Every structure is written in structure tokens, then in C-alpha cells.
Amino acid sequence: MSMERAFLGMSHSPLMGLNPVAAPVEAALLGAIAQAREQVQAFKPELVVLVAPDHYNGFFNELMPPLCIGTAACSVGDYLTPPGELHVDGDTALAMAQRLMDEDFDIAISRRMVVDHGFAQALQLLWGSLDTPPVVPIFLNAVAQPGIPRLRRCRQLGAAIGRFLDNVPQRTLLIGSGGLSHEPPVPTLAHPDPAVRERITFRREPTPSERDAKTQRVMAAGRALAAGDPAMKPLNPAWDARWMDALETGGAALDALCALSEDSIEREAGLSAHESKSWLVARSALPAGRSPRCTLRHYQAIPEYIAGFGLLCLQA
């Protein structure tokens, strides 16, 4: 029985390939992504557990679970990510859900999960398409309070997933997709426009013009952040470094990370920094009692992408 596992924490940005950045910045980022891709290919995962958020493309406030496992999943193909079905291992997803329920996690289950670039971009960057090893997709709500999972619960969930994987023979790659510090123009129910509140509450397929307007709005926000617009919340590289330090070190450093207040995450790192919890879930699923080695750590603050963009590879 193999317990070989690897972890990859990877930021995502819908603005990659859309907003231009300086050539050295782009080269450094693409080089780090290439290193991550090479390491993943060398690891040869037989199963991928992918923890990621959504940005009001698949999950809405009409019914917003804190966490959800998909037994099937389809990408909407937003921004420049591929549309279509993910290669989901439905049997393993159901077995994982069963084990989590037995461990007192009231996990939601989707038989037809809809995902966006939060899931698809990581697969695209690592495999070039959605033609990947079998995947178990796990959605983490990172936009809609009060149902955003708390830090301690994310760590507990990851540990429970790890105990399930102790009895799974496949060599498993754990991916946390999201974060780090960033606050893109994702609306909340506090938005003053009733039409916006309606749009993030009830599922409806956007028209091509609506989707294009959203893309242009996000691109403009990235340009504004890069230009130093005081209306945009700046990235926080120091917060990002503390987050990556804790996940790399583990142990007491993770204890301290999980003691952060929810308010401090939003105040210091931005409303969408809750996406970073996808890293915490995935990292906590590494085998207990082992000290994983870090094989890649890379970070860039890229305002044009509205992202404190990090990559962290650990292998147990």
C-alpha cells in the first residue's frame, strides 16, 4: 500500500495572458510554473485531489455550501481556461465523502459540479488541458460569508482527507489552488446594486456580452492596481511570506497560522485571500508524522494579475 503524496500550492489569476506584465516578471513566473509542471510529471500522480474556490460561476448564494466534493465536474471555460468535463474519479470522490461523513464532517456532494478558472487553470498549467490523471474536486467557499470555512476546520478537514488517503493505493498529488493576498472585484451581498446581488444569488448562464463585460472589469482592476490606484487594496507580500513559511514548516507554525482571526485575513490580505485556505486543506492531507521536503518555492507580487502569486511544492 503506497502512501506516497506530494503537495502543490499554486495561486491562480484569470488575468494571465490578458493583462500585459513586464517581460522579466512574466519569464520568472512562467519559469516557476514550468518547474512545478516538471516536478508533477516526474512524480507521476495516479490521483489528484484538487481543492479550489469558485467565483460565482458554479456556486451561488441561493445555496452556498462551505465545502463540497464533486463526483463529476464541468469547467465553464471562463477567461482563457478550457471548457469541458474534468476527469473525475467519481468512485473515489464518493468513498472520500463517506469517510468524511463518518468522521463528523457534514460535507456537501455535487453530482454535477460546475467549476471555473479556480479549478481549471491549475490543471491547464500542469497538463495543458483537462486531460489529466483522475481528479477528486473539492470546492471551498472563499467569497460568501458567513459560510467560509475557518482555518482550524480547514486543517482538520485536510487531516481527515489524509487519513482516507492512507488506505488509497494511488500515488496522490494534493493541489491547493488560490490566493494568496488579493482583492479582485468579486461582489458581495453588501453591494448596493440589486441586480448585482441578484446575479450572485441565483444561478443563470451569463450572456456573451455579460461575460465580456466582467472580463473587461477585472482587467481594468488589474491595471488600476498596477498604477497604484488608492481605491484598490494593495497586495501584501509580507502576509504571503508568513503563509508560505507556515505551510512549508508545518507543526507549530501551522498552529500559529490557524490562530489568525478571520477578520485579519480580509483586513491584511484582502477579501479573496480566503482562497489561500485551499492550500491549508491540501497541505494538511500529507501523511501524518512525516516531515515533507520542499522541492520548489516561488513568489511574485504581480499587481497586473491582482495576485500575490505563489508556488510551493512539498513531497512526503
Side-chain angles (χ1 to χ4, degrees):
M1 183 74 67
S2 172
M3 285 174 51
E4 193 173 359
R5 270 170 250 167
F7 159 80
L8 171 60
M10 176 184 280
S11 301
H12 61 247
S13 171
L15 297 176
M16 291 182 66
L18 292 176
N19 272 358
V21 297
V25 173
E26 184 177 43
L29 178 60
L30 294 180
I33 292 171
Q35 290 182 58
R37 183 165 55 246
E38 290 168 5
Q39 292 191 16
V40 166
Q41 299 301 330
F43 182 68
K44 298 180 180 178
E46 300 163 310
L47 179 69
V48 176
V49 176
L50 174 56
V51 187
D54 177 71
H55 311 80
Y56 290 120
N57 286 290
F59 291 84
F60 296 82
N61 283 300
E62 179 182 22
L63 181 60
M64 180 67 76
L67 298 153
C68 183
I69 292 179
T71 63
C74 182
S75 165
V76 299
D78 60 332
Y79 298 95
L80 300 178
T81 60
E85 297 291 329
L86 275 61
H87 183 200
V88 175
D89 184 339
D91 290 341
T92 299
L94 276 177
M96 182 185 292
Q98 176 73 50
R99 172 62 183 261
L100 292 176
M101 293 295 293
D102 289 344
E103 292 208 18
D104 301 327
F105 283 89
D106 297 324
I107 194 82
I109 300 171
S110 173
R111 308 290 180 149
R112 294 182 181 178
M113 185 181 283
V114 176
V115 302
D116 65 9
H117 65 274
F119 285 81
Q121 188 175 82
L123 301 178
Q124 180 184 32
L125 292 175
L126 295 172
W127 283 280
S129 70
L130 301 181
D131 183 14
T132 71
V135 175
V136 174
I138 303 177
F139 160 75
L140 184 149
N141 169 28
V143 297
Q145 291 284 20
I148 296 177
R150 292 351 188 207
L151 288 161
R152 288 188 299 276
R153 195 57 168 165
C154 288
R155 189 179 183 187
Q156 292 164 356
L157 174 67
I161 292 171
R163 290 190 291 273
F164 167 79
L165 293 173
D166 287 344
N167 296 299
V168 171
Q170 289 97 329
R171 193 164 45 253
T172 302
L173 174 65
L174 301 146
I175 301 177
S177 171
L180 297 164
S181 64
H182 68 307
E183 189 170 294
V186 177
T188 71
L189 289 175
H191 198 284
D193 187 341
V196 172
R197 298 197 300 271
E198 180 84 358
R199 177 171 59 79
I200 65 174
T201 298
F202 298 102
R203 181 190 299 273
R204 180 179 63 82
E205 182 68 22
T207 66
S209 62
E210 288 172 333
R211 192 177 291 278
D212 181 65
K214 178 181 179 181
T215 299
Q216 294 301 321
R217 185 168 62 251
V218 177
M219 290 175 65
R223 293 192 297 268
L225 180 59
D229 186 337
M232 296 292 297
K233 189 176 187 70
L235 305 176
N236 189 338
W239 189 92
D240 298 339
R242 292 198 300 270
W243 188 273
M244 294 180 74
D245 287 346
L247 269 70
E248 180 180 351
T249 304
L254 280 182
D255 294 340
L257 187 74
C258 291
L260 294 176
S261 71
E262 295 295 306
D263 288 346
S264 75
I265 295 172
E266 299 181 3
R267 183 177 62 254
E268 296 180 25
L271 290 174
S272 289
H274 291 287
E275 289 184 357
S276 310
K277 293 172 179 176
S278 66
W279 292 36
L280 180 59
V281 174
R283 193 263 188 253
S284 299
L286 289 174
R290 296 190 194 177
S291 296
R293 60 187 178 92
C294 179
T295 58
L296 173 66
R297 176 168 171 165
H298 179 85
Y299 177 80
Q300 291 172 263
I302 308 179
E304 294 88 347
Y305 291 170
I306 319 180
F309 207 107
L311 294 101
L312 183 65
C313 296
L314 304 174
Q315 190 160 336

